[in-house]
Amino acid sequence: MQIGFVGLGKMGGYMVERLLRDDHEVVAFDLSEDAVKEAEGKGAAGAGSLDELASKLAAPRAVWVMVPHGDPTSQTIKGLGVALSDGDLVVDGGNSPFHDDTEHAAALGERGIHFVDAGVSGGVWGLELGYCMMVGGADEDVERLRPALDTLAPPDGWLHTGPVGAGHFVKMVHNGIEYGLMEAYAEGLEVLRESDYELDLAAIAELWKHASVIRSWLLELAADALRKDPDLAGTKAWVDDSGEGRWTVFEAINESVPAPVITLALQMRMRSRQEESFAAKVNAALRAEFGGHVVGEPGTIK
């Protein structure tokens, strides 16, 4: 199929390449001229603006947006609302909050432009392995995208999860679960590392990949990282969050659903960004006040 693509970063650029490999016709636009030229080198038609992108697509058009969530996505969709026409389709494949989908769909709908949200998982490995995609929208709109979805995903790798917003909602929870899994692996491996045994963490992670009940792709990535750098000396202990873990926690609170693992995993990421925790200082000071414990010196747990 013919499809426009806005956003040629790590994910978007690889998605365009995967589409081109399967003989789809892609018109690509990015604020980076170098990114557009790279896409052209792989077979895409380049565009220097949203208007030019629209002019190079045959009606009814389909345009996939793959830019950072928030203002970049909102401004892009607003621009497409002007550049596109009645019957065209916009897909938001970024990590947008599901609440935004309703607003974007309504704004585009005023001009007769259709909207689909697609939560995309797979990272930089998606070019070769495919992308897991959670898709929200009207049946006819999702069906219209089927050729592209079938190319981007591995077999059985995409699902129409429900109406507009459902795709990003499922992807949000997916990322919340990811936070919990990553934290569990991190804590377990640190317990192993600090033990009295001289353990080969890379070998253990590699072992667990085979028939263990905790095997997963994340474990495979942990084994790879530990094999390259056993002490992770080249990695800074700073863990950012894209926002989806926070949104999952907020939604769990809204639904009165206890989600302690995901919540704590999010908070541990926040803790990683503190060079020295003020809360820990308060705790140390209180112990000194009521028990006479020496501040700043490790003691015996009693």
Side-chain angles (χ1 to χ4, degrees):
M1 69 178 289
Q2 185 189 54
I3 188 167
F5 216 97
V6 181
L8 306 174
K10 291 180 180 179
M11 290 279 282
Y14 283 155
M15 292 173 76
V16 165
E17 185 172 347
R18 190 170 171 93
L19 288 167
L20 291 168
R21 287 182 180 181
D22 204 25
D23 296 325
H24 294 277
E25 183 182 346
V26 180
V27 180
F29 168 66
D30 191 279
L31 294 177
S32 167
E33 294 182 4
D34 290 340
V36 174
K37 289 179 181 178
E38 184 177 349
E40 288 176 328
K42 295 173 181 175
S49 67
L50 295 179
D51 286 335
E52 184 181 354
L53 178 139
S55 71
K56 291 186 174 183
L57 294 169
R61 307 169 184 87
V63 179
W64 192 296
V65 178
M66 205 72 188
V67 301
H69 69 78
D71 191 60
T73 293
S74 295
Q75 291 302 316
T76 300
I77 290 176
K78 182 178 179 180
L80 287 171
V82 175
L84 300 179
S85 306
D86 181 47
D88 292 342
L89 172 65
V90 172
V91 184
D92 179 7
N95 283 333
S96 294
F98 71 96
H99 295 295
D100 288 359
D101 295 326
T102 303
E103 297 178 11
H104 293 153
L108 292 172
E110 292 178 358
R111 295 197 42 143
I113 301 171
H114 302 247
F115 179 83
V116 165
D117 58 284
V120 181
S121 180
V124 295
W125 296 82
L127 174 60
E128 301 300 334
L129 302 178
Y131 301 89
C132 177
M133 291 181 292
M134 298 137 268
V135 185
D139 291 347
E140 60 271 22
D141 294 334
V142 175
E143 188 60 31
R144 180 174 161 187
L145 283 171
R146 179 178 290 274
L149 296 172
D150 284 345
T151 289
L152 290 169
D156 299 319
W158 72 270
L159 179 69
H160 182 191
T161 57
V164 166
H168 280 150
F169 184 82
V170 174
K171 176 57 163 51
M172 175 192 75
V173 176
H174 161 285
N175 279 30
I177 293 170
E178 174 189 305
Y179 280 35
L181 289 171
M182 290 173 66
E183 181 63 24
Y185 284 132
E187 292 175 10
L189 288 167
E190 184 167 18
V191 170
L192 293 175
R193 185 175 187 272
E194 297 302 316
S195 74
D196 292 333
Y197 299 102
E198 294 184 6
L199 300 173
D200 185 334
L201 300 189
I204 292 169
E206 182 68 31
L207 169 69
W208 285 346
K209 288 165 48 179
H210 303 284
S212 162
V213 296
I214 62 168
R215 65 188 183 275
S216 74
W217 185 51
L218 287 173
L219 183 60
E220 292 178 26
L221 296 178
D224 289 342
L226 289 166
R227 184 169 57 251
K228 295 172 186 174
D229 184 0
D231 292 321
L232 301 182
T235 302
K236 186 176 181 180
W238 172 289
V239 188
D240 212 338
D241 69 280
S242 63
E244 299 216 30
R246 299 181 185 220
W247 306 335
T248 303
V249 172
F250 296 158
E251 195 59 28
I253 293 170
N254 290 338
E255 297 174 359
S256 298
V257 173
V261 172
I262 296 174
T263 301
L264 186 54
L266 171 63
Q267 292 173 342
M268 289 301 292
R269 290 192 176 200
M270 296 174 180
R271 177 63 184 89
S272 76
R273 300 167 213 159
Q274 296 178 299
E275 290 188 8
E276 192 168 10
S277 167
F278 182 75
K281 287 185 176 183
V282 172
N283 265 323
L286 288 174
R287 291 186 77 241
E289 290 295 326
F290 70 68
H293 302 284
V294 178
V295 176
E297 293 185 7
T300 302
I301 298 176
K302 295 182 179 180

